[in-house]
Amino acid sequence: EATRTELTQLFDMRVLEPVYQKKHELPNVLPTKIVYKRKYNKDGTLNKYKARICSRGDKQKAGVDYNQTFSHVTQQPSRMLMYSRCIEEDQIEAVEFDVKGAFLTAGMEKGQKVYVTLPKGVGKLLGYDDDQVFLLHKALYGLKQAPRLFNNEFTDHLRSIGLTQSKVDPCVFYIREGNSRLELSFHVDDGMIMSNDLSLRDAIVKKIQSKYDLGTLRPLSHFLGAEIQHDHRAGVLSITMKNKIRQLAEDYKEYDLT
């Protein structure tokens, strides 16, 4: 069922378009695979299982189906600085978000055509043969250039709605309106926003959501694998990675965390 949901989403978002050319008639056709992932709650308990259809980026050919791949991510000193703001200024409220289906919102590079086939048996869920070839219109997960394509489009959108990009960290943006201010940083498709003016924050979020699904904004508590606890009264913000360490230990089957 998770696989059918994922496949239906790809067609609803116009990520895939069937083409009627055979593999041997095209310069390169990428295979895809299904990746099943466990999603955890912030306390480390299992939330749900998710299926993701990913392209085999290891089969891509430079100059044929990708060019540049580098993509910025927010720097740790930037995150530490933003965390410190929460402690220094009681009026600042911090929230976190993640862009739903982020890469699937990014269009492919102009003039470049990337072709894929679906994993065996998957296409048949929607009536396609196993040898059916599809043209990508959006950046399917697994493509070498997918993070770059999304980063470029997300950055352009943030600029277009009035945010200023930091000259020090390209993944940090800010806006000042009188005594009101807002900072936003993002790391691939995860981000955090902090502001001393809720009306300003809500207005910026609404503009972002005109193009991207940010889900439900949550108080900053679980960001990039770190658990964050902020005690406003005591002026203390603590950062731990207990759950991340536990998951790594479980993956390697060598732990005693009692």
Side-chain angles (χ1 to χ4, degrees):
E1 185 60 33
T3 302
R4 183 187 293 274
T5 299
E6 169 70 1
L7 186 60
T8 301
Q9 180 188 34
L10 294 183
F11 281 95
D12 288 345
M13 297 180 69
R14 296 191 71 252
V15 176
L16 302 172
E17 178 191 353
V19 297
Y20 299 96
Q21 293 169 283
K22 301 298 183 182
K23 288 184 181 180
H24 68 272
E25 299 174 336
L26 298 167
N28 194 29
V29 178
L30 304 177
T32 57
K33 63 179 181 180
I34 303 176
V35 176
Y36 294 99
K37 185 177 182 181
R38 292 172 292 182
K39 303 289 285 187
Y40 293 92
N41 297 310
K42 63 182 180 181
D43 61 359
T45 57
L46 182 65
N47 179 288
K48 64 179 179 179
Y49 291 96
K50 183 176 179 63
R52 178 82 74 188
I53 296 177
C54 302
S55 63
R56 289 281 305 276
D58 59 305
K59 300 296 184 180
Q60 287 184 258
K61 297 179 180 179
V64 176
D65 42 34
Y66 79 95
N67 293 312
Q68 299 185 62
T69 61
F70 175 78
S71 178
H72 290 284
V73 293
T74 184
Q75 302 169 23
Q76 185 177 11
S78 299
R79 298 197 300 273
M80 294 300 105
L81 178 60
M82 293 182 73
Y83 294 153
S84 70
R85 293 269 180 86
C86 294
I87 303 171
E88 294 172 355
E89 303 182 44
D90 292 337
Q91 298 170 333
I92 287 185
E93 294 288 336
V95 294
E96 61 187 79
F97 66 87
D98 58 273
V99 182
K100 306 299 182 183
F103 293 175
L104 304 181
T105 66
M108 297 300 296
E109 189 175 347
K110 188 176 182 180
Q112 191 169 74
K113 293 186 177 181
V114 179
Y115 300 93
V116 300
T117 55
L118 293 173
K120 187 175 181 179
V122 172
K124 292 181 179 179
L125 293 174
L126 296 182
Y128 294 104
D129 295 332
D130 286 337
D131 60 354
Q132 176 66 57
V133 177
F134 298 88
L135 172 66
L136 288 183
H137 289 293
K138 303 287 181 66
L140 191 66
Y141 283 82
L143 287 181
K144 293 179 183 293
Q145 67 269 42
R148 178 184 179 86
L149 294 172
F150 168 72
N151 184 287
N152 289 345
E153 288 199 7
F154 194 59
T155 294
D156 287 344
H157 185 64
L158 294 179
R159 287 173 176 162
S160 73
I161 62 175
L163 294 178
T164 300
Q165 187 175 22
S166 168
K167 294 180 180 179
V168 177
D169 188 333
C171 291
V172 173
F173 293 77
Y174 62 91
I175 187 171
R176 302 282 189 273
E177 292 184 356
N179 293 326
S180 301
R181 58 190 184 280
L182 174 145
E183 289 90 29
L184 178 152
S185 72
F186 70 96
H187 188 105
V188 189
D189 56 357
D190 293 307
M192 61 176 168
I193 301 173
M194 48 186 58
S195 177
N196 64 348
D197 187 330
L198 293 182
S199 61
L200 174 62
R201 187 192 73 187
D202 291 344
I204 292 297
V205 168
K206 186 175 181 180
K207 291 179 180 179
I208 298 174
Q209 289 177 326
S210 67
K211 184 173 182 179
Y212 298 98
D213 181 2
L214 303 184
T216 302
L217 296 182
R218 307 171 298 278
L220 185 63
S221 61
H222 193 266
F223 191 62
L224 300 181
E227 297 89 52
I228 302 167
Q229 294 183 332
H230 185 196
D231 186 332
H232 284 272
R233 289 186 177 181
V236 175
L237 186 144
S238 60
I239 304 172
T240 64
M241 300 194 75
K242 292 181 181 178
N243 292 328
K244 184 65 175 179
I245 294 171
R246 183 184 296 275
Q247 290 171 21
L248 289 173
E250 290 176 351
D251 288 342
Y252 289 96
K253 307 297 182 184
E254 295 181 6
Y255 67 100
D256 180 5
L257 302 178
T258 58

